[in-house]
Amino acid sequence: PLLVMGAEDDFIIPPSQVKNTAKVYSTNPVIFPKMAHDMMLDENWRSVADYIIDWLEKTLSIEKFGLAKQDH
């Protein structure tokens, strides 16, 4: 499994390149609206972090590795 993410207002790696990358790997891209390149420095960084956590839990079954979801 591969998670390909990008930001709507990213001028360094624009959404078109994120979409192309996802296409190469036969997956769907996730583009976060109203964010720029440094998503983790954005005031809405938590939405990105929450998405990653949820994706990991669904995709990799974190529970079977003995890792419990923490409140975030």
Side-chain angles (χ1 to χ4, degrees), residues 32 35 38-53 72:
F32 288 87
M35 287 191 178
D38 294 323
M39 294 186 290
M40 301 317 281
L41 300 177
D42 190 273
E43 63 183 36
N44 294 316
W45 66 269
R46 189 172 294 276
S47 66
V48 178
D50 287 342
Y51 190 93
I52 294 168
I53 290 168
H72 42 83

Side-chain angles (χ1 to χ4, degrees), residues 17-41:
Q17 289 183 4
V18 174
K19 291 173 185 175
N20 287 339
T21 299
K23 186 176 181 180
V24 167
Y25 290 101
S26 300
T27 191
N28 295 315
V30 179
I31 306 295
F32 288 87
K34 300 179 183 176
M35 287 191 178
H37 183 73
D38 294 323
M39 294 186 290
M40 301 317 281
L41 300 177

